[in-house]
Amino acid sequence: MHPSPPGSLAATSFESHPADAAAMLAGVLDSAMDGIVTVDHTQRIVLYNRTAEKMFGWPSSQVLGQPLDQLMPARFQATHSQHIHRFASTGVTSRRMGDGTVVYGLRASGEEFPMDASISQLDTADGKLYTVILRDVTERVRAQEERSAFVAAVNTAREEEKTRVARELHDELAQSLTALKMDTMWLRNHFAGVPAVADTRLTDMLQMLDHTIAATRRIAADLRPLLLDDLGLVPAIEWLVHNFGQRTGVACTLTADEALELREPYATAIFRIVQESLANVAKHAGASAVSVALERLPDAIKLAVSDNGRGFVADAPRKPQSLGLMGLRERAVLLKGRLSITSTTGQGTRIDVFIPVPDPQESP
């Protein structure tokens, strides 16, 4: 008698006792901590474990054989089958959860809830089977929303403080320095007989006051340009673009509708993204030309900042101290928007921002 190869005993046991194998499989599926749902090629549910029962609130008896639409909100049902067909055509056997994509399920009570999902496909004699492993991430999403709300509140408070300081620098300190300059000029002009050393000292004082007034105004504008509050978003970005060109010598153009207006917090977010994007260009790009394009869509704002600089590998690991691009993305995400970065070494960088802007009658 020849010894059986490793694993042959289990295989023989399952072949001889298919009922035991089915019971074992059912036990494994029902003990899983994640919800498991399998549908056939017609999108009807053929497997539904106990965790899925707890997750959705439907017992197996009311789900098996029913369309998968029963478990998803109505607004996603139309596109779901298209996603499944595209997945089937890729030839990929599975897609893992945890890629940041959140899908939404529908409980028996009518409540919608967020889930992480992974999907796999299997060809069988009766057609394709699609198995989805689901994890309820309601608490995680709620924590993220609370964090976003907190960060948004902090940003709002910070912008308000910047506005206050900028206004005081502009209205109080700059004006006081200007008055001091005028008094110094009066002294120099009305005491012609003073020693040459005193006249030289007064001239030096006037030059220092000029530099201090210019620096005060620049710092106030960097904190928050009063144009943004007084004249609106487009004039503020025009000032930003003009100032960038003067400081760096890099040609910078702006394309925007002069009549475009945005309320807060959207105006400040767009202004800051442009400001930080141009700062990144000045520090890292080595560009000779930059363009800024701002467009108002019916229910969103679209921004693009592109340069012809040295570019970089967009997927490369981020340097520990490199927070600029992450900060840009965070500003967009806080307003439920998205930001994408396209860059190729030697061919420049483009930043595209899309932020949904609700109707003025709605709360942000």
Side-chain angles (χ1 to χ4, degrees):
M1 230 177 136
H2 298 288
S4 299
S8 63
L9 181 60
T12 302
S13 175
F14 284 155
E15 290 171 2
S16 304
H17 303 90
D20 292 343
M24 180 178 290
L25 177 59
V28 169
L29 294 176
D30 282 337
S31 65
M33 298 180 66
D34 294 324
I36 301 175
V37 180
T38 298
V39 299
D40 61 18
H41 64 283
T42 67
Q43 297 300 295
R44 291 191 175 274
I45 300 169
V46 297
L47 187 149
Y48 182 78
N49 73 343
R50 287 181 182 172
T51 303
E53 286 185 335
K54 296 176 183 177
M55 187 181 298
F56 289 97
W58 293 101
S60 295
S61 59
Q62 298 181 33
V63 168
L64 292 176
Q66 299 301 312
L68 185 60
D69 288 353
Q70 181 174 334
L71 303 181
M72 67 178 65
R75 68 180 186 279
F76 297 120
Q77 293 173 6
T79 57
H80 172 73
S81 60
Q82 299 174 12
H83 293 320
I84 291 295
H85 290 149
R86 280 200 296 270
F87 174 65
S89 65
T90 62
V92 177
T93 57
S94 64
R95 286 182 182 168
R96 300 173 63 184
M97 70 171 64
D99 63 353
T101 302
V102 174
V103 298
Y104 283 83
L106 182 67
R107 303 192 202 275
S109 63
E111 175 194 0
E112 294 185 13
F113 67 102
M115 305 177 293
D116 273 347
S118 61
I119 184 172
S120 62
Q121 56 179 314
L122 177 67
D123 287 311
T124 71
D126 297 322
K128 278 186 180 289
L129 292 178
Y130 302 93
T131 297
V132 185
I133 299 177
L134 303 166
R135 183 174 300 160
D136 188 336
V137 293
T138 300
E139 292 303 319
R140 189 188 77 192
V141 170
R142 181 179 294 119
Q144 290 173 341
E145 290 174 347
E146 290 175 352
R147 172 186 171 277
S148 295
F150 172 75
V151 173
V154 170
N155 280 341
T156 299
R158 185 170 59 185
E159 289 294 339
E160 290 174 352
E161 181 65 10
K162 283 183 176 181
T163 300
R164 185 188 66 79
V165 173
R167 184 72 67 179
E168 289 187 1
L169 284 173
H170 183 272
D171 293 347
E172 299 292 335
L173 184 57
Q175 290 184 16
S176 296
L177 288 170
T178 301
L180 184 59
K181 175 185 174 182
M182 294 174 65
D183 288 344
T184 306
M185 291 176 64
W186 186 90
L187 283 173
R188 187 183 66 176
N189 294 336
H190 285 76
F191 292 91
V194 298
V197 64
D199 185 72
T200 301
R201 180 62 60 88
L202 287 170
T203 300
D204 291 343
M205 288 173 62
L206 287 171
Q207 291 179 348
M208 184 177 294
L209 283 168
D210 283 337
H211 290 313
T212 304
I213 291 169
T216 300
R217 289 174 174 164
R218 187 188 71 249
I219 293 169
D222 286 344
L223 281 170
R224 183 177 179 87
L226 302 181
L227 281 172
L228 185 58
D229 298 314
D230 297 340
L231 297 180
L233 177 62
V234 174
I237 293 181
E238 287 176 346
W239 169 84
L240 198 60
V241 165
H242 176 73
N243 194 46
F244 171 82
Q246 281 194 326
R247 287 190 190 182
T248 64
V250 177
C252 189
T253 60
L254 171 65
T255 303
D257 182 357
E258 291 288 342
L260 188 152
E261 293 184 5
L262 285 178
R263 61 191 175 97
E264 293 297 345
Y266 303 98
T268 295
I270 291 296
F271 177 84
R272 291 302 185 195
I273 289 174
V274 174
Q275 185 180 46
E276 292 167 19
S277 297
L278 293 179
N280 285 335
V281 172
K283 289 180 182 178
H284 309 296
S288 61
V290 184
S291 67
V292 179
L294 190 62
E295 181 182 1
R296 183 67 158 96
L297 304 178
D299 57 353
I301 190 77
K302 183 179 178 182
L303 169 69
V305 181
S306 58
D307 67 70
N308 66 348
R310 61 176 60 95
F312 62 95
V313 179
D315 296 331
R318 181 178 59 83
K319 295 179 181 179
Q321 303 303 320
S322 178
L323 302 176
L325 296 179
M326 186 173 68
L328 292 177
R329 186 172 282 110
E330 185 71 12
R331 286 189 182 276
V333 170
L334 283 176
L335 294 176
K336 297 180 171 38
R338 60 181 183 271
L339 182 145
S340 62
I341 300 170
T342 306
S343 187
T344 304
T345 304
Q347 298 182 27
T349 301
R350 179 184 173 97
I351 296 174
D352 288 288
V353 183
F354 181 91
I355 296 178
V357 179
D359 186 271
Q361 302 301 321
E362 300 176 12
S363 59

